[in-house]
């Protein structure tokens, strides 16, 4: 009954006691209205994802700055955003990547990795299985998102405590 209220409350930053999580929520996941990054106007349009989802991906990539990225189920606009946000990052295999971006349901894999994980909708069985597997196996790091979010994001940082934030953004 109060699940929607708790998601809304945490999504605004209330009740979030981690400085990293609060800043990540307020700066990247729920950027203030009217606030724009310098490159927003030139970001490519995607046939699959909304403009807001593409902007979210861009902000998260700029914040985390992975050096090795594995994109699973890539479309042209997604690859362009990754190359703009992380121009020095290189494509890597699943096992050696710093960040996994899962866009395609049929290519989603259940690989256990210590990398950041970003799952884009639509969320099918395979993607949700991968998400829950990551949450169960992680010793450190924070997860952000729920089934109704624009993305499911796991920040794998050994300095962060293990916390899950069930929010909608």
């Amino acid at each position: 009954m109060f699940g929607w209220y708790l998601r809304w409350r945490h999504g605004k930053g209330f009740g979030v006691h981690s400085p990293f999580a609060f800043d990540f929520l307020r700066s990247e996941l729920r950027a203030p209205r009217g606030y724009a990054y310098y490159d927003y106007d030139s970001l490519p349009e995607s046939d699959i994802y909304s403009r807001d989802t593409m902007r979210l991906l861009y902000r998260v990539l700029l914040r985390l700055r992975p050096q090795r990225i594995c994109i699973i189920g890539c479309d042209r606009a997604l690859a362009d955003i990754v190359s703009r946000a992380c121009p020095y990052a290189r494509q890597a295999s699943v096992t050696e990547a710093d960040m996994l971006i899962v866009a395609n349901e049929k290519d989603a894999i259940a690989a256990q990795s210590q990398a950041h994980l970003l799952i884009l909708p639509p969320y099918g069985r395979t993607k949700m299985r991968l998400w829950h597997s990551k949450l169960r196996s992680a010793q450190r790091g924070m997860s952000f998102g729920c089934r109704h979010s624009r993305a499911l994001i796991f920040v794998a940082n050994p300095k962060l405590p293990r916390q899950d934030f069930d929010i909608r953004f």
Side-chain angles (χ1 to χ4, degrees), residues 42-56:
S42 66
L43 291 179
E45 296 290 323
S46 173
D47 297 334
I48 303 168
Y49 303 109
S50 70
R51 182 182 63 186
D52 290 337
T53 301
M54 299 302 271
R55 288 178 173 181
L56 170 74

Side-chain angles (χ1 to χ4, degrees), residues 118-168:
L118 195 140
I119 300 176
L120 296 170
Y123 307 122
R125 246 189 208 123
T126 309
K127 286 182 180 178
M128 292 310 290
R129 200 173 303 129
L130 175 63
W131 177 247
H132 291 297
S133 171
K134 179 69 171 182
L135 297 183
R136 280 192 304 273
S137 66
Q139 300 293 320
R140 309 285 287 173
M142 295 183 176
S143 71
F144 301 90
C146 68
R147 193 164 181 81
H148 305 288
S149 298
R150 277 186 269 140
L152 300 171
I153 301 168
F154 186 85
V155 179
N157 185 336
K159 295 179 182 177
L160 294 175
R162 182 69 187 92
Q163 287 183 305
D164 297 323
F165 296 97
D166 183 25
I167 57 171
R168 184 177 183 174

Side-chain angles (χ1 to χ4, degrees), residues 60-116:
V60 169
L61 286 168
L62 283 174
R63 175 67 179 263
L64 298 177
R65 292 284 184 187
Q67 296 298 311
R68 296 177 310 265
I69 301 174
C70 178
I71 305 172
I72 301 170
C74 179
D75 74 334
R76 187 174 165 99
L78 187 62
D80 190 28
I81 286 199
V82 169
S83 67
R84 285 174 189 238
C86 304
Y88 300 110
R90 64 178 180 85
Q91 287 284 356
S93 68
V94 174
T95 56
E96 60 184 28
D98 295 334
M99 175 175 264
L100 295 175
I101 300 173
V102 181
N104 193 345
E105 176 72 25
K106 65 182 178 187
D107 295 329
I109 45 156
Q112 294 301 318
S113 170
Q114 299 302 318
H116 302 300

